[in-house]
Every structure is written in C-alpha cells, then in structure tokens.
Amino acid sequence: MRKKRLCAGLLALQLVCSAGAAYTDNGVTMTRLQYADAAYEMLLDAGAAEDAQTADRPFTDTDAASVSALYHWGILKGTSDKAFSPADSLTREEAAVILDRLRALLQVTPAKASGEPYRDDAAISDWASGSVYALRDLGLMLGTGEGKFSPADKLTDRQGKTLLTRLQRLARPAALTRLSYENTLDSVADESRWSGTPGEQAAAKEIAAAMRGWGYEVTEQPFDFTDAPQGKQISKQATNVIAVKKANRDPNGDILVISAHHDSMPSTVGADDNASGTAMLLELARALKDIETDTELRFISFSAEEQGLKGSTYYTALLSDAEKTHIVGDIQIDMIGHYMSDTTTVKTTDGAPSLLGNMLLAASKKVTGNTWPAGIEGASDHMAFQREGIPGVLVEQDRLGTENHKWSDRPAVIDPAKALPAGQAVAEVVREIASAETGPLAQQSHSMLKADSAVTITDRMPVFTGMQKNELEVRIGAAGAFEKTEYDDELGWQLDHYVMNAKWFGWSEALPTDFVYRRIDDSLWLEKLYIRTASLGLTDEQLAARLTAALGQPQTENSGSQYWGLNSMDQNPSMLRWQISAQDGAQVLTMVPVIHTLVGVDLKAFDFSRSPASYAAECDAEEKTLLETMHKIIPPEDKYVKRIISWTDGYSAILGMCQPQDASTLTAFDIRIDRFDCFNEDGALSNIDKTLATMVHEYGHALTLNASQIDPSKRDDSSGFNDPAAYRDGSYLKAFYDQFYAGGAASYIDRPENYVDEYASSSPFEDIAETFMVFVTGGKPTGSTMADQKVAFFYGYPELQSVRSYIRTNFAFPAD
C-alpha cells in the first residue's frame, strides 16, 4: 500500500512531485512509454489535441500512437535516430523537458524567473536547465529537498501522473477531467479511513487543508460516536469537514449542500465506497472555487457514514431552523464509476421526485445524451437531511460491486471515464442554482417533499423486532418523529415512541405508525410496532375484511385470536403477521413476528449433473436464472456439488449456504440460494454483485471442506470445521491454516488488515471461503498485508486459477 499523505501528494497543490520526505509513493519508476501514454491521454483529456492514429511511426522499437503523435508535435525525441527505448526509466530532468514542451503546447505562460539556483545546479544538463527552472517558477515541479533538484533521479509513476495533472489544471483550472479525478482518487484511497483511526483523522485534516488552499471557509467538526469498536481506533471521535463558499450576491439567500463521506470500512481503502465520491467532491470544490453565486455553497465530507450515518446526523441535528428553511437540499455523492457499472442513478429516500433530482436528471441528459434512471435509496448521508425535513438526493452508480466493504475495493475498480459524468452533472446543477438568473429555489424544493410525508413499506423492506433505529430508518427510507417516552416498570425498560405516516399492504391511506424502541445504553432497538387504523373509520370486522383481501385468509390461534400473514417463509418472506388490537383505547394493527423453528425451508432441489436446459419444463423464471448462474460458477467437472437448491429463510441478510449431505463422509454438498433475497419478481437477479459474491463463497466451501480436504473420521462435530487436526496434509485448508493461523489469529477489530472483510474473521473455514471469493472476483494483490498474502495464497494452485478464469470469463470480468 502506498504510504502517501494527501497534503504531500495531490490535494494541497503546494508540493507537487517533490521526491523528498514530504512526498513518497510506492517507488515504481515510470518508463518512457508510460510517460508518453499518460501525456498523450492528458492532452486528449484537456481537449488540446485530437486522437492521432497516424501510420507514420518514427521509431523501430515501438509503434505506440502516443509516441508517434508526441514526436510529430515536437514533444518527444528518441534516444537515437530510430530508437525510442520505451522500457527505459525516465530521469527527473528528462521529465522536466517533456513537461515544459507540453506547457508550451497548452499555452500556459511561464512565470518570471526568480530565486536562487538549486544547490546541485552543476549536475543539471544544459539542455534541461531552462525547463527545470521554468517549471520551478510555475510551482509545477519542485526540488527534492535541501535545495536540490536531483536531475538524475528516476521519475516514479505517481510523480509523473501528478505532474501531468498539475499541468492540466493550470491549463484548464475549472475543468473536471479524468486524469485530475484519477489522481485525487488515488490520494484519497491511500489507506483505510475507518472512523476514529489515524487514517480517518489524517484524511479529514488533509481534506480541510485542500479546501482552505482553494479559498473556502473551513470548519473541522469533531463528533463522538459512542458505539465505536476499539482495536485500531485511537479515538471514539470522528470529524466532518465543512467547506463554505459564501454567496457573492445574496448572503441571506439559498444554501446548497454537496456532500460525500470519506470514512471506509476497516479492512479496505474503500476506493468505490467512498473515495470515489470524496474525490469527486474535492474535484467539484476545486473546479467551482471561483464561481459567481447568489447561493451559499457548502461542500461537506462526512465521517462515520459506515457506522449509521453518524457524521451527517450530527451535522443536521445542529442546523438552525433558519438554515433548514434556506437549504435547497443535499446532493450526496456515494459510490460512482465502478468499472462494471452501466450508468449513474439519481435516488431519493422514498423514490419520490424532487427538485434537485429533476435537475440532476435534466443535467444527465445534457452531459451524456441519456437521462439517468431514478430510484429509491436511503442508505447514505442524504438520509440525515431528509430526517430533518431537508430534501436529499443521492448520486451513485447502478450496481454495488462484489468488492463492497472488502479488501478488494481498491482504485483499480474505478473507471474515471464512468465517474466523470456524475461530477459533470452535479457541476451543471450547481452552476444553474448559483446563477442569479435562476432565483431562490429553497421554498420550491421544500414544497416538493411528499405532502403526506408518508413512506410506502413493502415486503422488500422487512422490519424486525430487535432492529436498531438507524438501520430500520435507512432500510425504509424514512424517519419517525419522537412522540413520548414511557417506562416498563416491571422490566425496567425505557421505551421511546417514534411516529411516522406510512402506507401498508398496498393501501392508499397514509396511517400513523408507532415504532416503539427499547433504549439500551445510547442505542434504540425496535421493541414493537403498531399501525393506528382508527382514522379509517372501520369496525374490527370491516378492517378484518380489508386485511383478508390484502393478505389472505386469517389464521386462528388456540386462544381464538386471529392474525393475518402465513406462518411459512415461502409464503410470507417478510416474516410478519398482524393482529387487530387496541392501544390507548383506539383500534390498531399490531405487528407479530413470525417465529420459525427451522433455519429456512427448501423450495425445490435440482441435480447439478443435469444441464439447466434439461430443467426448462420444470422451472419458473427464478429457478432458471438460479441454475444458469450456478453453472457459470461451478465447472462441469466438479466432483462435490451434487444439488442446487432454491431455498429461503425469508427476507434476511443470509443469501445462501453450503452444506454436506452427509457430514460423516463429506463427499456430496448442496448449495442453497435464497429465492426471495436474490431474485426480483420477474426472475432476474435482484443484486447480481451481492448474489454472485454469495454463490462464489458457498462454492468455496465445497472446494475446501470436502473429503479430499478434511478427514471426516477426525472431525469433531462440536467444532464445526475449525479443528485443524482433521485437515488433511496437502489440503488447501491445512496450508491456509498453517500459514495464517498456526501462530494464533488476531481479531478483526485489532487487525482488520489481516482479513479481506469482517465476515472472513469469523473462523478459518469461513476465512478461506471468503478470501477465495475475493480471489475470484477481485484483482491481484499488490500490497504486503496479511489480507494481500491470503489472496496471493490461491495463486499457488493452478487448478484454482483455472476455476477463477472459468468464473471470470462467464461473467465478463476484465482480464487482470
């Protein structure tokens, strides 16, 4: 992992490409061809040149179009008449000369020469001296410390790209470009930014420094999050960064918030989630820093989003009533540009149209030629604004990515060309709102909030007793208003009542719904829920008839009470039932959780040895998709997977499982996949990335827990698969255990860098399956952490590389 700090790298823009202690990177040198390619792309990106696929190749040792174009433009020369030496490293003075020629092509005026010569001036070649000092005076390429330039030092890959980014910014200071965004992304996604850790605290400081460097009024807003785990965290405090550009024309007018969250999960640098959004937030702040505006602009980088929107919730709770009234809304940028995404989306917490959403959709048409899809999502910081009655909208990609919250979420998963339109559309909206011709918009924006403030709750938004308040509100995309606190004297519980208007069962009426939470320390957990139906004006008999029409015939308990909602997961995946009762003397519907005695139910089993086509007459759309997908994961020659089972445990976080048919032999395995969690009503995969990760993980169990890996006669049932005495010599699991567990294993909290994600830390046999999934769906390891070593472990087995290739080919993953 690169050990580079944001201020010392890209964002502060004050020490670009110094090779001294203040700026370090991974030390990988840049070749002449790599520099030519990057320079050529920069010129295209900056609009300063056209794609030049010329047939005239001046050198015999490369036919790269970039080299040919730059040669004919007078930017590059060869190392001899016919040789370019594309694989040779580039020295700092060579890079300076090429950069200076690019500067002239881009018509960036050189600064007046000033300052003392470098202490090693005598070592700088005569042909490079003018360029070296011209770039120094521009602040474009500085020395290496102690007054030296170090002309013969090799240019690193990171330094070369940073130099080109800096030049591009000088030529087009208000432009959003791929190269500039990519460099900012690399700087943000340099290390884990888990809230409370040095990485998160450093990121907040460095983001603040960059914003100050661009002239913003910056506030670093620390806040406590009391449920923080320990381990790598040095503090239970995280920091929001608020950068404000006051209105030039109307200081008492509208306010627009543009936001992202800079924190990540512990075991990842979080490139997609959410360095991608943070980098775009920074690029927007840089590009818009000189805009004339009658609207106050607030660029905010939140922290602790991954721990329940803690940073944004803290920020919005402190807003004054006047601020809330004047805020047009919040545009949250979270997860953009994944290389396998097809488009960007615009979402609100309830799926309802909004002013900002409509403006973003119009801007998407202008930027891309196509209008982006709109949708519903509450799981990001825009939700905190919505809770306070402030319109919020989310800009994100259209798919999650198998890397989400995992070690493999690294910069390589982001395609800057796919991320850039998101920033360009947001910039269009900001410029439109900032324009004096647009006029005030806050009142209009607030008026578009749903008049009944009701959220539609469906089976796809399952609600369970025991859920935390933040989790529940994010799931349904709405928040209730506090009404009262009562105390259960018998049990000593404090119960806090929150009420929101909600639409249930497909009914058109918005009904007040009471969410009653039990307070445990500083957290709220759902204890009970009831819907106030008295406003419908129905008798119990009439209400019963409406429930029957919506949910089917009621069931009758031994006591004679009736409830609606079947007690079977395959018919009632929401796992909720409803009873007509009374609360404070008024008619209500009370939620009754379904209690199951089994962990899920099998719906239909399929013999893996048969092709999906042979089941065509026996399958519905979901089963057909399930079989086709599993056959793309499991090679036909596999010896151990015998059945694929359509299964469910209702809507839950458990998407699948792999189980031996006979634990005493471990020769045959069933893989179960949840019909309701993994598929839409039309039979398509509801979340291909999450489902694919589950399927590959479960197949990883079949590969590592079968009889060739584990001796069933030595296996202790009480230990599951965690007894190393049962691991056979030569097995994957024994080799994995011996390398990573024989000396003991640190917890995920203490050493998150040891695991590809939190789930992997639950046991050795889950670790190897989860790491196998990351090995298949992620990129090759480049670092030295234990998580890197675990992923690299699988590359030692040609047969597992073959499985990886089989899966990646079938799902159109790009080549490494």
Side-chain angles (χ1 to χ4, degrees), residues 6 10 31 101 109 164 394 415 426 496 502 673 685 723 780:
L6 302 187
L10 176 63
T31 67
R101 292 170 183 160
T109 303
L164 294 169
L394 173 66
D415 181 349
V426 173
D496 290 347
I673 300 297
L685 292 173
D723 184 0
K780 290 184 177 180

Side-chain angles (χ1 to χ4, degrees), residues 89-131:
S89 299
L90 204 66
T91 66
R92 285 173 52 80
E93 66 177 5
E94 289 172 332
V97 171
I98 295 170
L99 195 70
D100 195 33
R101 292 170 183 160
L102 290 167
R103 174 202 59 74
L105 182 66
L106 290 171
Q107 299 181 343
V108 174
T109 303
K112 185 177 180 180
S114 62
E116 295 294 324
Y118 285 113
R119 288 179 56 197
D120 55 353
D121 177 77
I124 301 174
S125 302
D126 291 342
W127 50 265
S129 181
S131 294

Side-chain angles (χ1 to χ4, degrees), residues 747-764:
S747 71
Y748 179 76
I749 295 298
D750 290 331
R751 299 301 297 268
E753 67 272 18
N754 288 3
Y755 303 95
V756 294
D757 60 22
E758 185 172 9
Y759 188 65
S761 68
S762 56
S763 67

Side-chain angles (χ1 to χ4, degrees), residues 147-229:
K148 295 181 179 180
F149 179 73
S150 306
D153 282 4
K154 304 300 184 184
L155 190 76
T156 69
D157 177 78
R158 182 75 258 144
Q159 291 169 347
K161 290 179 179 177
T162 302
L163 283 173
L164 294 169
T165 299
R166 178 63 169 135
L167 176 58
Q168 186 185 65
R169 289 181 177 180
L170 287 174
R172 297 184 62 195
L176 297 175
T177 65
R178 289 175 295 173
L179 180 61
S180 185
Y181 172 76
E182 182 180 6
N183 253 329
T184 305
L185 173 71
D186 284 347
S187 294
V188 176
D190 185 56
E191 60 182 325
S192 172
R193 301 170 305 284
W194 183 23
S195 293
T197 63
E200 181 267 338
Q201 295 182 352
K205 290 286 185 188
E206 293 158 1
I207 290 168
M211 295 290 196
R212 287 192 185 99
W214 294 322
Y216 289 92
E217 297 179 14
V218 177
T219 300
E220 295 173 55
Q221 184 184 61
F223 61 91
D224 296 329
F225 50 105
T226 54
D227 60 344

Side-chain angles (χ1 to χ4, degrees), residues 13 17 42 81 85 103 112 116 186-187 239 320 325 397 408 481 516 552 635 651 736 755 787 796:
L13 301 179
C17 209
M42 184 272 287
D81 287 345
S85 306
R103 174 202 59 74
K112 185 177 180 180
E116 295 294 324
D186 284 347
S187 294
T239 303
S320 67
T325 300
Q397 63 211 19
S408 47
V516 183
Y651 294 121
F736 191 85
Y755 303 95

